Amino acid sequence: MNTRFLVRTLPYLALIACWPALGLGDEVAIKGQEIFDKYQNAIVTVQVVLKSSYSKDGKVSPPAESKYELTGAFVDPSGLIVLAHSGCDPAEFYKQATTQYDGYKVESELVDLKVLLDDGTEVPGQIVLRDKDRDLAFVRPKTTLSHPVRALDLSEQGSAKVLDQVIVLNRLNQSAGRAYSATVARIIAKVNKPRPFYLHDGSGSGAALGSPVFSLDGKLLGLMLMRVGGPRGAYRESPTSIILPAEQIMKAARQAPPALKAAPVSSASPAKGSAPDQSNQGQ
């Protein structure tokens, strides 16, 4: 009788034993959905056009233009955007990330930049601040927006421990309808020197450079960026995808010029693009 009872109850005992794990999974999904609903519209696509040229042993290739899209995030309701500098200037990133062969050089020039709003409006933009050490670039629309935008709260800074799960938000590319997305990643290390940053396990397949990362309490943990190790001219480690803490982003954002004073652009009709004014680019 006792044996029969044990056999019949074993499946239920197993379910009870794994219930905490099931509950944890549900908790991550529920909290992730709350973060997604609150901050998805703070994610923005920035379209850039670059003119690039290469030279090897004195032979220079003809300049070629390429257009691609980057993920950024509004950090101020007026329209200030933060994104990865390595995406805006790949030639500069290449120089930092590789040991240079004197006979080979690559150059790139930003010739056009547009902010693609979620209603389909294209607004000309410009880089107003560069922080190459942190791999940050800040962009502002060239014209004031018709209404304030949803922005990340840099003052609400999250924290994470090793093996904590975090939520990563992104806006997908044109082939995916530029849909907003969310994914879960896990922290594998926290580095404190020379500058604090987190390492993640790369499991967030929908993430991209410039994607904001949140702790499960809904606070901004940081931004997905690239880090290059090793001094210039020495052997270099492979570039590493990191999460730069929100505190570092806020320090850099404080140096960005104030919002432009200009007539507002209506969101009813897309704005015409023009080459960005880079006279205010710094650092």
Side-chain angles (χ1 to χ4, degrees), residues 97-136:
T98 61
T99 301
Q100 294 293 293
Y101 161 56
D102 291 338
Y104 181 76
K105 295 182 180 179
V106 56
E107 302 292 338
S108 64
E109 176 188 0
L110 182 65
V111 296
D112 190 47
L113 186 150
K114 292 186 181 73
V115 179
L116 308 185
L117 303 179
D118 57 3
D119 63 357
T121 305
E122 297 182 359
V123 182
Q126 62 181 346
I127 297 178
V128 296
L129 179 69
R130 298 173 186 261
D131 189 328
K132 298 177 183 179
D133 289 340
R134 294 185 175 96
D135 191 32
L136 293 172

PDB file of all heavy atoms in Angstrom, residues 97-136:
ATOM      1  N   ALA A  97      41.599  48.834 -32.512  1.00  0.00           N
ATOM      2  CA  ALA A  97      41.452  47.413 -32.213  1.00  0.00           C
ATOM      3  C   ALA A  97      42.531  46.538 -32.818  1.00  0.00           C
ATOM      4  O   ALA A  97      42.649  45.370 -32.452  1.00  0.00           O
ATOM      5  CB  ALA A  97      40.080  46.918 -32.686  1.00  0.00           C
ATOM      6  N   THR A  98      43.329  47.055 -33.745  1.00  0.00           N
ATOM      7  CA  THR A  98      44.317  46.227 -34.416  1.00  0.00           C
ATOM      8  C   THR A  98      45.697  46.871 -34.340  1.00  0.00           C
ATOM      9  O   THR A  98      45.835  48.087 -34.225  1.00  0.00           O
ATOM     10  CB  THR A  98      43.954  46.013 -35.898  1.00  0.00           C
ATOM     11  OG1 THR A  98      43.925  47.281 -36.561  1.00  0.00           O
ATOM     12  CG2 THR A  98      42.604  45.338 -36.032  1.00  0.00           C
ATOM     13  N   THR A  99      46.711  46.024 -34.443  1.00  0.00           N
ATOM     14  CA  THR A  99      48.072  46.524 -34.567  1.00  0.00           C
ATOM     15  C   THR A  99      48.270  46.928 -36.017  1.00  0.00           C
ATOM     16  O   THR A  99      48.129  46.113 -36.931  1.00  0.00           O
ATOM     17  CB  THR A  99      49.085  45.431 -34.171  1.00  0.00           C
ATOM     18  OG1 THR A  99      48.818  45.033 -32.826  1.00  0.00           O
ATOM     19  CG2 THR A  99      50.503  45.937 -34.279  1.00  0.00           C
ATOM     20  N   GLN A 100      48.591  48.174 -36.247  1.00  0.00           N
ATOM     21  CA  GLN A 100      48.600  48.713 -37.598  1.00  0.00           C
ATOM     22  C   GLN A 100      49.816  48.275 -38.408  1.00  0.00           C
ATOM     23  O   GLN A 100      50.950  48.266 -37.919  1.00  0.00           O
ATOM     24  CB  GLN A 100      48.555  50.244 -37.534  1.00  0.00           C
ATOM     25  CG  GLN A 100      47.262  50.808 -36.976  1.00  0.00           C
ATOM     26  CD  GLN A 100      46.101  50.524 -37.904  1.00  0.00           C
ATOM     27  OE1 GLN A 100      46.030  51.046 -39.004  1.00  0.00           O
ATOM     28  NE2 GLN A 100      45.193  49.680 -37.461  1.00  0.00           N
ATOM     29  N   TYR A 101      49.530  47.897 -39.636  1.00  0.00           N
ATOM     30  CA  TYR A 101      50.576  47.687 -40.627  1.00  0.00           C
ATOM     31  C   TYR A 101      50.753  49.013 -41.360  1.00  0.00           C
ATOM     32  O   TYR A 101      49.796  49.568 -41.897  1.00  0.00           O
ATOM     33  CB  TYR A 101      50.157  46.570 -41.586  1.00  0.00           C
ATOM     34  CG  TYR A 101      50.904  46.536 -42.900  1.00  0.00           C
ATOM     35  CD1 TYR A 101      52.296  46.461 -42.920  1.00  0.00           C
ATOM     36  CD2 TYR A 101      50.213  46.577 -44.111  1.00  0.00           C
ATOM     37  CE1 TYR A 101      52.981  46.423 -44.123  1.00  0.00           C
ATOM     38  CE2 TYR A 101      50.893  46.546 -45.317  1.00  0.00           C
ATOM     39  CZ  TYR A 101      52.283  46.468 -45.321  1.00  0.00           C
ATOM     40  OH  TYR A 101      52.957  46.441 -46.513  1.00  0.00           O
ATOM     41  N   ASP A 102      51.985  49.524 -41.351  1.00  0.00           N
ATOM     42  CA  ASP A 102      52.233  50.877 -41.854  1.00  0.00           C
ATOM     43  C   ASP A 102      51.766  51.069 -43.289  1.00  0.00           C
ATOM     44  O   ASP A 102      51.384  52.180 -43.681  1.00  0.00           O
ATOM     45  CB  ASP A 102      53.724  51.215 -41.740  1.00  0.00           C
ATOM     46  CG  ASP A 102      54.167  51.366 -40.291  1.00  0.00           C
ATOM     47  OD1 ASP A 102      53.279  51.616 -39.440  1.00  0.00           O
ATOM     48  OD2 ASP A 102      55.374  51.225 -40.013  1.00  0.00           O
ATOM     49  N   GLY A 103      51.795  50.005 -44.092  1.00  0.00           N
ATOM     50  CA  GLY A 103      51.433  50.152 -45.486  1.00  0.00           C
ATOM     51  C   GLY A 103      49.947  50.083 -45.756  1.00  0.00           C
ATOM     52  O   GLY A 103      49.511  50.260 -46.897  1.00  0.00           O
ATOM     53  N   TYR A 104      49.159  49.815 -44.704  1.00  0.00           N
ATOM     54  CA  TYR A 104      47.706  49.682 -44.900  1.00  0.00           C
ATOM     55  C   TYR A 104      46.978  50.700 -44.032  1.00  0.00           C
ATOM     56  O   TYR A 104      47.231  50.796 -42.829  1.00  0.00           O
ATOM     57  CB  TYR A 104      47.254  48.273 -44.517  1.00  0.00           C
ATOM     58  CG  TYR A 104      45.766  48.049 -44.705  1.00  0.00           C
ATOM     59  CD1 TYR A 104      45.229  47.857 -45.968  1.00  0.00           C
ATOM     60  CD2 TYR A 104      44.920  48.039 -43.606  1.00  0.00           C
ATOM     61  CE1 TYR A 104      43.865  47.651 -46.138  1.00  0.00           C
ATOM     62  CE2 TYR A 104      43.552  47.835 -43.766  1.00  0.00           C
ATOM     63  CZ  TYR A 104      43.040  47.637 -45.034  1.00  0.00           C
ATOM     64  OH  TYR A 104      41.687  47.446 -45.202  1.00  0.00           O
ATOM     65  N   LYS A 105      46.096  51.450 -44.648  1.00  0.00           N
ATOM     66  CA  LYS A 105      45.335  52.457 -43.912  1.00  0.00           C
ATOM     67  C   LYS A 105      43.879  52.413 -44.354  1.00  0.00           C
ATOM     68  O   LYS A 105      43.571  52.106 -45.501  1.00  0.00           O
ATOM     69  CB  LYS A 105      45.907  53.854 -44.148  1.00  0.00           C
ATOM     70  CG  LYS A 105      47.310  54.053 -43.596  1.00  0.00           C
ATOM     71  CD  LYS A 105      47.807  55.469 -43.825  1.00  0.00           C
ATOM     72  CE  LYS A 105      49.207  55.654 -43.261  1.00  0.00           C
ATOM     73  NZ  LYS A 105      49.725  57.031 -43.486  1.00  0.00           N
ATOM     74  N   VAL A 106      43.000  52.732 -43.422  1.00  0.00           N
ATOM     75  CA  VAL A 106      41.569  52.810 -43.717  1.00  0.00           C
ATOM     76  C   VAL A 106      41.036  54.112 -43.134  1.00  0.00           C
ATOM     77  O   VAL A 106      41.397  54.502 -42.020  1.00  0.00           O
ATOM     78  CB  VAL A 106      40.813  51.589 -43.138  1.00  0.00           C
ATOM     79  CG1 VAL A 106      41.055  51.449 -41.639  1.00  0.00           C
ATOM     80  CG2 VAL A 106      39.314  51.687 -43.416  1.00  0.00           C
ATOM     81  N   GLU A 107      40.212  54.787 -43.894  1.00  0.00           N
ATOM     82  CA  GLU A 107      39.632  56.057 -43.460  1.00  0.00           C
ATOM     83  C   GLU A 107      38.126  56.020 -43.712  1.00  0.00           C
ATOM     84  O   GLU A 107      37.656  55.415 -44.674  1.00  0.00           O
ATOM     85  CB  GLU A 107      40.239  57.237 -44.221  1.00  0.00           C
ATOM     86  CG  GLU A 107      41.758  57.376 -44.092  1.00  0.00           C
ATOM     87  CD  GLU A 107      42.197  57.761 -42.699  1.00  0.00           C
ATOM     88  OE1 GLU A 107      41.363  58.321 -41.942  1.00  0.00           O
ATOM     89  OE2 GLU A 107      43.371  57.517 -42.360  1.00  0.00           O
ATOM     90  N   SER A 108      37.373  56.660 -42.829  1.00  0.00           N
ATOM     91  CA  SER A 108      35.922  56.759 -43.030  1.00  0.00           C
ATOM     92  C   SER A 108      35.460  58.153 -42.638  1.00  0.00           C
ATOM     93  O   SER A 108      36.010  58.772 -41.723  1.00  0.00           O
ATOM     94  CB  SER A 108      35.168  55.697 -42.231  1.00  0.00           C
ATOM     95  OG  SER A 108      35.345  55.876 -40.848  1.00  0.00           O
ATOM     96  N   GLU A 109      34.447  58.628 -43.335  1.00  0.00           N
ATOM     97  CA  GLU A 109      33.900  59.956 -43.092  1.00  0.00           C
ATOM     98  C   GLU A 109      32.378  59.861 -43.022  1.00  0.00           C
ATOM     99  O   GLU A 109      31.740  59.267 -43.896  1.00  0.00           O
ATOM    100  CB  GLU A 109      34.296  60.906 -44.225  1.00  0.00           C
ATOM    101  CG  GLU A 109      33.690  62.296 -44.103  1.00  0.00           C
ATOM    102  CD  GLU A 109      33.932  63.142 -45.338  1.00  0.00           C
ATOM    103  OE1 GLU A 109      34.581  62.649 -46.288  1.00  0.00           O
ATOM    104  OE2 GLU A 109      33.451  64.292 -45.368  1.00  0.00           O
ATOM    105  N   LEU A 110      31.805  60.420 -41.980  1.00  0.00           N
ATOM    106  CA  LEU A 110      30.357  60.444 -41.827  1.00  0.00           C
ATOM    107  C   LEU A 110      29.779  61.546 -42.713  1.00  0.00           C
ATOM    108  O   LEU A 110      30.102  62.721 -42.538  1.00  0.00           O
ATOM    109  CB  LEU A 110      29.987  60.699 -40.362  1.00  0.00           C
ATOM    110  CG  LEU A 110      28.506  60.720 -40.003  1.00  0.00           C
ATOM    111  CD1 LEU A 110      27.877  59.352 -40.220  1.00  0.00           C
ATOM    112  CD2 LEU A 110      28.314  61.151 -38.546  1.00  0.00           C
ATOM    113  N   VAL A 111      28.948  61.159 -43.676  1.00  0.00           N
ATOM    114  CA  VAL A 111      28.415  62.151 -44.608  1.00  0.00           C
ATOM    115  C   VAL A 111      26.928  62.412 -44.412  1.00  0.00           C
ATOM    116  O   VAL A 111      26.405  63.407 -44.913  1.00  0.00           O
ATOM    117  CB  VAL A 111      28.679  61.730 -46.073  1.00  0.00           C
ATOM    118  CG1 VAL A 111      30.164  61.684 -46.345  1.00  0.00           C
ATOM    119  CG2 VAL A 111      28.034  60.389 -46.398  1.00  0.00           C
ATOM    120  N   ASP A 112      26.240  61.547 -43.700  1.00  0.00           N
ATOM    121  CA  ASP A 112      24.812  61.787 -43.466  1.00  0.00           C
ATOM    122  C   ASP A 112      24.364  60.996 -42.239  1.00  0.00           C
ATOM    123  O   ASP A 112      24.857  59.882 -41.986  1.00  0.00           O
ATOM    124  CB  ASP A 112      23.983  61.363 -44.677  1.00  0.00           C
ATOM    125  CG  ASP A 112      22.536  61.837 -44.558  1.00  0.00           C
ATOM    126  OD1 ASP A 112      22.322  63.014 -44.234  1.00  0.00           O
ATOM    127  OD2 ASP A 112      21.625  61.019 -44.774  1.00  0.00           O
ATOM    128  N   LEU A 113      23.446  61.574 -41.483  1.00  0.00           N
ATOM    129  CA  LEU A 113      22.933  60.911 -40.286  1.00  0.00           C
ATOM    130  C   LEU A 113      21.465  61.294 -40.114  1.00  0.00           C
ATOM    131  O   LEU A 113      21.127  62.473 -40.177  1.00  0.00           O
ATOM    132  CB  LEU A 113      23.755  61.319 -39.057  1.00  0.00           C
ATOM    133  CG  LEU A 113      23.452  60.623 -37.729  1.00  0.00           C
ATOM    134  CD1 LEU A 113      24.719  60.550 -36.871  1.00  0.00           C
ATOM    135  CD2 LEU A 113      22.353  61.341 -36.953  1.00  0.00           C
ATOM    136  N   LYS A 114      20.621  60.303 -39.917  1.00  0.00           N
ATOM    137  CA  LYS A 114      19.197  60.548 -39.701  1.00  0.00           C
ATOM    138  C   LYS A 114      18.721  59.771 -38.475  1.00  0.00           C
ATOM    139  O   LYS A 114      19.157  58.647 -38.224  1.00  0.00           O
ATOM    140  CB  LYS A 114      18.366  60.110 -40.911  1.00  0.00           C
ATOM    141  CG  LYS A 114      18.566  60.926 -42.172  1.00  0.00           C
ATOM    142  CD  LYS A 114      17.589  60.485 -43.242  1.00  0.00           C
ATOM    143  CE  LYS A 114      17.772  61.283 -44.537  1.00  0.00           C
ATOM    144  NZ  LYS A 114      19.014  60.866 -45.234  1.00  0.00           N
ATOM    145  N   VAL A 115      17.820  60.392 -37.736  1.00  0.00           N
ATOM    146  CA  VAL A 115      17.138  59.747 -36.615  1.00  0.00           C
ATOM    147  C   VAL A 115      15.789  59.250 -37.132  1.00  0.00           C
ATOM    148  O   VAL A 115      14.989  60.037 -37.635  1.00  0.00           O
ATOM    149  CB  VAL A 115      16.940  60.731 -35.444  1.00  0.00           C
ATOM    150  CG1 VAL A 115      16.198  60.058 -34.299  1.00  0.00           C
ATOM    151  CG2 VAL A 115      18.292  61.282 -34.972  1.00  0.00           C
ATOM    152  N   LEU A 116      15.544  57.945 -37.027  1.00  0.00           N
ATOM    153  CA  LEU A 116      14.306  57.358 -37.530  1.00  0.00           C
ATOM    154  C   LEU A 116      13.345  57.161 -36.363  1.00  0.00           C
ATOM    155  O   LEU A 116      13.505  56.244 -35.553  1.00  0.00           O
ATOM    156  CB  LEU A 116      14.587  56.016 -38.218  1.00  0.00           C
ATOM    157  CG  LEU A 116      15.680  56.024 -39.294  1.00  0.00           C
ATOM    158  CD1 LEU A 116      15.762  54.660 -39.976  1.00  0.00           C
ATOM    159  CD2 LEU A 116      15.431  57.120 -40.323  1.00  0.00           C
ATOM    160  N   LEU A 117      12.355  58.037 -36.259  1.00  0.00           N
ATOM    161  CA  LEU A 117      11.395  57.968 -35.168  1.00  0.00           C
ATOM    162  C   LEU A 117      10.398  56.840 -35.386  1.00  0.00           C
ATOM    163  O   LEU A 117      10.246  56.331 -36.507  1.00  0.00           O
ATOM    164  CB  LEU A 117      10.670  59.313 -35.026  1.00  0.00           C
ATOM    165  CG  LEU A 117      11.573  60.530 -34.794  1.00  0.00           C
ATOM    166  CD1 LEU A 117      10.746  61.798 -34.701  1.00  0.00           C
ATOM    167  CD2 LEU A 117      12.430  60.347 -33.550  1.00  0.00           C
ATOM    168  N   ASP A 118       9.688  56.449 -34.339  1.00  0.00           N
ATOM    169  CA  ASP A 118       8.810  55.283 -34.438  1.00  0.00           C
ATOM    170  C   ASP A 118       7.564  55.524 -35.277  1.00  0.00           C
ATOM    171  O   ASP A 118       6.877  54.581 -35.656  1.00  0.00           O
ATOM    172  CB  ASP A 118       8.419  54.758 -33.051  1.00  0.00           C
ATOM    173  CG  ASP A 118       7.740  55.811 -32.194  1.00  0.00           C
ATOM    174  OD1 ASP A 118       7.513  56.935 -32.686  1.00  0.00           O
ATOM    175  OD2 ASP A 118       7.438  55.510 -31.023  1.00  0.00           O
ATOM    176  N   ASP A 119       7.264  56.808 -35.608  1.00  0.00           N
ATOM    177  CA  ASP A 119       6.115  57.089 -36.464  1.00  0.00           C
ATOM    178  C   ASP A 119       6.508  57.173 -37.934  1.00  0.00           C
ATOM    179  O   ASP A 119       5.708  57.548 -38.787  1.00  0.00           O
ATOM    180  CB  ASP A 119       5.420  58.386 -36.033  1.00  0.00           C
ATOM    181  CG  ASP A 119       6.317  59.611 -36.175  1.00  0.00           C
ATOM    182  OD1 ASP A 119       7.498  59.449 -36.556  1.00  0.00           O
ATOM    183  OD2 ASP A 119       5.838  60.732 -35.910  1.00  0.00           O
ATOM    184  N   GLY A 120       7.757  56.838 -38.256  1.00  0.00           N
ATOM    185  CA  GLY A 120       8.227  56.869 -39.632  1.00  0.00           C
ATOM    186  C   GLY A 120       8.922  58.150 -40.033  1.00  0.00           C
ATOM    187  O   GLY A 120       9.479  58.237 -41.127  1.00  0.00           O
ATOM    188  N   THR A 121       8.927  59.155 -39.160  1.00  0.00           N
ATOM    189  CA  THR A 121       9.589  60.418 -39.470  1.00  0.00           C
ATOM    190  C   THR A 121      11.104  60.243 -39.486  1.00  0.00           C
ATOM    191  O   THR A 121      11.676  59.594 -38.609  1.00  0.00           O
ATOM    192  CB  THR A 121       9.220  61.491 -38.436  1.00  0.00           C
ATOM    193  OG1 THR A 121       7.806  61.605 -38.365  1.00  0.00           O
ATOM    194  CG2 THR A 121       9.821  62.837 -38.806  1.00  0.00           C
ATOM    195  N   GLU A 122      11.758  60.832 -40.492  1.00  0.00           N
ATOM    196  CA  GLU A 122      13.210  60.857 -40.565  1.00  0.00           C
ATOM    197  C   GLU A 122      13.680  62.281 -40.268  1.00  0.00           C
ATOM    198  O   GLU A 122      13.334  63.222 -40.986  1.00  0.00           O
ATOM    199  CB  GLU A 122      13.691  60.429 -41.951  1.00  0.00           C
ATOM    200  CG  GLU A 122      13.321  58.990 -42.306  1.00  0.00           C
ATOM    201  CD  GLU A 122      13.857  58.584 -43.661  1.00  0.00           C
ATOM    202  OE1 GLU A 122      14.509  59.422 -44.335  1.00  0.00           O
ATOM    203  OE2 GLU A 122      13.616  57.434 -44.064  1.00  0.00           O
ATOM    204  N   VAL A 123      14.462  62.421 -39.205  1.00  0.00           N
ATOM    205  CA  VAL A 123      14.921  63.739 -38.776  1.00  0.00           C
ATOM    206  C   VAL A 123      16.438  63.813 -38.930  1.00  0.00           C
ATOM    207  O   VAL A 123      17.157  62.967 -38.380  1.00  0.00           O
ATOM    208  CB  VAL A 123      14.534  64.000 -37.305  1.00  0.00           C
ATOM    209  CG1 VAL A 123      14.982  65.388 -36.878  1.00  0.00           C
ATOM    210  CG2 VAL A 123      13.027  63.836 -37.104  1.00  0.00           C
ATOM    211  N   PRO A 124      16.962  64.793 -39.668  1.00  0.00           N
ATOM    212  CA  PRO A 124      18.418  64.943 -39.762  1.00  0.00           C
ATOM    213  C   PRO A 124      19.021  65.141 -38.381  1.00  0.00           C
ATOM    214  O   PRO A 124      18.461  65.846 -37.534  1.00  0.00           O
ATOM    215  CB  PRO A 124      18.584  66.207 -40.630  1.00  0.00           C
ATOM    216  CG  PRO A 124      17.292  66.340 -41.367  1.00  0.00           C
ATOM    217  CD  PRO A 124      16.239  65.811 -40.456  1.00  0.00           C
ATOM    218  N   GLY A 125      20.166  64.521 -38.155  1.00  0.00           N
ATOM    219  CA  GLY A 125      20.825  64.628 -36.860  1.00  0.00           C
ATOM    220  C   GLY A 125      22.308  64.889 -37.014  1.00  0.00           C
ATOM    221  O   GLY A 125      22.850  64.872 -38.122  1.00  0.00           O
ATOM    222  N   GLN A 126      22.962  65.135 -35.893  1.00  0.00           N
ATOM    223  CA  GLN A 126      24.405  65.351 -35.896  1.00  0.00           C
ATOM    224  C   GLN A 126      25.001  64.840 -34.600  1.00  0.00           C
ATOM    225  O   GLN A 126      24.352  64.841 -33.549  1.00  0.00           O
ATOM    226  CB  GLN A 126      24.743  66.830 -36.067  1.00  0.00           C
ATOM    227  CG  GLN A 126      24.229  67.716 -34.945  1.00  0.00           C
ATOM    228  CD  GLN A 126      24.568  69.177 -35.152  1.00  0.00           C
ATOM    229  OE1 GLN A 126      25.394  69.514 -35.990  1.00  0.00           O
ATOM    230  NE2 GLN A 126      23.933  70.062 -34.387  1.00  0.00           N
ATOM    231  N   ILE A 127      26.249  64.391 -34.685  1.00  0.00           N
ATOM    232  CA  ILE A 127      26.973  63.996 -33.478  1.00  0.00           C
ATOM    233  C   ILE A 127      27.440  65.260 -32.773  1.00  0.00           C
ATOM    234  O   ILE A 127      28.108  66.106 -33.375  1.00  0.00           O
ATOM    235  CB  ILE A 127      28.173  63.101 -33.824  1.00  0.00           C
ATOM    236  CG1 ILE A 127      27.698  61.796 -34.466  1.00  0.00           C
ATOM    237  CG2 ILE A 127      28.989  62.797 -32.568  1.00  0.00           C
ATOM    238  CD1 ILE A 127      28.820  60.870 -34.883  1.00  0.00           C
ATOM    239  N   VAL A 128      27.073  65.394 -31.514  1.00  0.00           N
ATOM    240  CA  VAL A 128      27.437  66.597 -30.759  1.00  0.00           C
ATOM    241  C   VAL A 128      28.516  66.324 -29.721  1.00  0.00           C
ATOM    242  O   VAL A 128      29.078  67.259 -29.150  1.00  0.00           O
ATOM    243  CB  VAL A 128      26.193  67.214 -30.072  1.00  0.00           C
ATOM    244  CG1 VAL A 128      25.199  67.690 -31.121  1.00  0.00           C
ATOM    245  CG2 VAL A 128      25.532  66.217 -29.113  1.00  0.00           C
ATOM    246  N   LEU A 129      28.806  65.052 -29.463  1.00  0.00           N
ATOM    247  CA  LEU A 129      29.840  64.712 -28.480  1.00  0.00           C
ATOM    248  C   LEU A 129      30.345  63.302 -28.755  1.00  0.00           C
ATOM    249  O   LEU A 129      29.552  62.393 -29.009  1.00  0.00           O
ATOM    250  CB  LEU A 129      29.280  64.793 -27.057  1.00  0.00           C
ATOM    251  CG  LEU A 129      30.256  64.434 -25.926  1.00  0.00           C
ATOM    252  CD1 LEU A 129      31.350  65.493 -25.802  1.00  0.00           C
ATOM    253  CD2 LEU A 129      29.517  64.278 -24.597  1.00  0.00           C
ATOM    254  N   ARG A 130      31.658  63.143 -28.721  1.00  0.00           N
ATOM    255  CA  ARG A 130      32.284  61.830 -28.860  1.00  0.00           C
ATOM    256  C   ARG A 130      33.110  61.542 -27.607  1.00  0.00           C
ATOM    257  O   ARG A 130      33.874  62.401 -27.149  1.00  0.00           O
ATOM    258  CB  ARG A 130      33.211  61.781 -30.079  1.00  0.00           C
ATOM    259  CG  ARG A 130      32.525  62.013 -31.429  1.00  0.00           C
ATOM    260  CD  ARG A 130      33.580  62.099 -32.529  1.00  0.00           C
ATOM    261  NE  ARG A 130      33.012  62.459 -33.811  1.00  0.00           N
ATOM    262  CZ  ARG A 130      32.726  61.595 -34.778  1.00  0.00           C
ATOM    263  NH1 ARG A 130      32.952  60.307 -34.579  1.00  0.00           N
ATOM    264  NH2 ARG A 130      32.221  62.003 -35.927  1.00  0.00           N
ATOM    265  N   ASP A 131      32.980  60.346 -27.087  1.00  0.00           N
ATOM    266  CA  ASP A 131      33.800  59.885 -25.973  1.00  0.00           C
ATOM    267  C   ASP A 131      34.377  58.536 -26.394  1.00  0.00           C
ATOM    268  O   ASP A 131      33.801  57.484 -26.150  1.00  0.00           O
ATOM    269  CB  ASP A 131      32.961  59.750 -24.701  1.00  0.00           C
ATOM    270  CG  ASP A 131      33.809  59.486 -23.461  1.00  0.00           C
ATOM    271  OD1 ASP A 131      34.857  58.830 -23.608  1.00  0.00           O
ATOM    272  OD2 ASP A 131      33.418  59.914 -22.356  1.00  0.00           O
ATOM    273  N   LYS A 132      35.513  58.580 -27.074  1.00  0.00           N
ATOM    274  CA  LYS A 132      36.090  57.369 -27.651  1.00  0.00           C
ATOM    275  C   LYS A 132      36.547  56.386 -26.584  1.00  0.00           C
ATOM    276  O   LYS A 132      36.490  55.170 -26.789  1.00  0.00           O
ATOM    277  CB  LYS A 132      37.254  57.741 -28.570  1.00  0.00           C
ATOM    278  CG  LYS A 132      36.842  58.608 -29.755  1.00  0.00           C
ATOM    279  CD  LYS A 132      38.046  59.001 -30.595  1.00  0.00           C
ATOM    280  CE  LYS A 132      37.636  59.932 -31.731  1.00  0.00           C
ATOM    281  NZ  LYS A 132      38.809  60.346 -32.544  1.00  0.00           N
ATOM    282  N   ASP A 133      37.018  56.890 -25.449  1.00  0.00           N
ATOM    283  CA  ASP A 133      37.491  55.998 -24.388  1.00  0.00           C
ATOM    284  C   ASP A 133      36.375  55.106 -23.869  1.00  0.00           C
ATOM    285  O   ASP A 133      36.594  53.942 -23.539  1.00  0.00           O
ATOM    286  CB  ASP A 133      38.079  56.809 -23.232  1.00  0.00           C
ATOM    287  CG  ASP A 133      39.404  57.465 -23.601  1.00  0.00           C
ATOM    288  OD1 ASP A 133      40.036  56.998 -24.569  1.00  0.00           O
ATOM    289  OD2 ASP A 133      39.799  58.434 -22.933  1.00  0.00           O
ATOM    290  N   ARG A 134      35.177  55.658 -23.793  1.00  0.00           N
ATOM    291  CA  ARG A 134      34.037  54.877 -23.310  1.00  0.00           C
ATOM    292  C   ARG A 134      33.244  54.240 -24.457  1.00  0.00           C
ATOM    293  O   ARG A 134      32.281  53.542 -24.224  1.00  0.00           O
ATOM    294  CB  ARG A 134      33.088  55.766 -22.488  1.00  0.00           C
ATOM    295  CG  ARG A 134      33.667  56.290 -21.178  1.00  0.00           C
ATOM    296  CD  ARG A 134      32.586  57.049 -20.417  1.00  0.00           C
ATOM    297  NE  ARG A 134      33.014  57.486 -19.098  1.00  0.00           N
ATOM    298  CZ  ARG A 134      33.489  58.690 -18.811  1.00  0.00           C
ATOM    299  NH1 ARG A 134      33.618  59.590 -19.774  1.00  0.00           N
ATOM    300  NH2 ARG A 134      33.834  59.016 -17.577  1.00  0.00           N
ATOM    301  N   ASP A 135      33.627  54.525 -25.703  1.00  0.00           N
ATOM    302  CA  ASP A 135      32.907  54.072 -26.896  1.00  0.00           C
ATOM    303  C   ASP A 135      31.496  54.657 -26.939  1.00  0.00           C
ATOM    304  O   ASP A 135      30.530  53.972 -27.267  1.00  0.00           O
ATOM    305  CB  ASP A 135      32.848  52.534 -26.983  1.00  0.00           C
ATOM    306  CG  ASP A 135      32.335  52.058 -28.342  1.00  0.00           C
ATOM    307  OD1 ASP A 135      32.581  52.745 -29.347  1.00  0.00           O
ATOM    308  OD2 ASP A 135      31.664  51.000 -28.391  1.00  0.00           O
ATOM    309  N   LEU A 136      31.381  55.939 -26.630  1.00  0.00           N
ATOM    310  CA  LEU A 136      30.084  56.608 -26.630  1.00  0.00           C
ATOM    311  C   LEU A 136      30.057  57.730 -27.666  1.00  0.00           C
ATOM    312  O   LEU A 136      31.047  58.440 -27.864  1.00  0.00           O
ATOM    313  CB  LEU A 136      29.794  57.220 -25.252  1.00  0.00           C
ATOM    314  CG  LEU A 136      29.587  56.259 -24.081  1.00  0.00           C
ATOM    315  CD1 LEU A 136      29.501  57.039 -22.779  1.00  0.00           C
ATOM    316  CD2 LEU A 136      28.332  55.418 -24.289  1.00  0.00           C
TER     317      LEU A 136
END
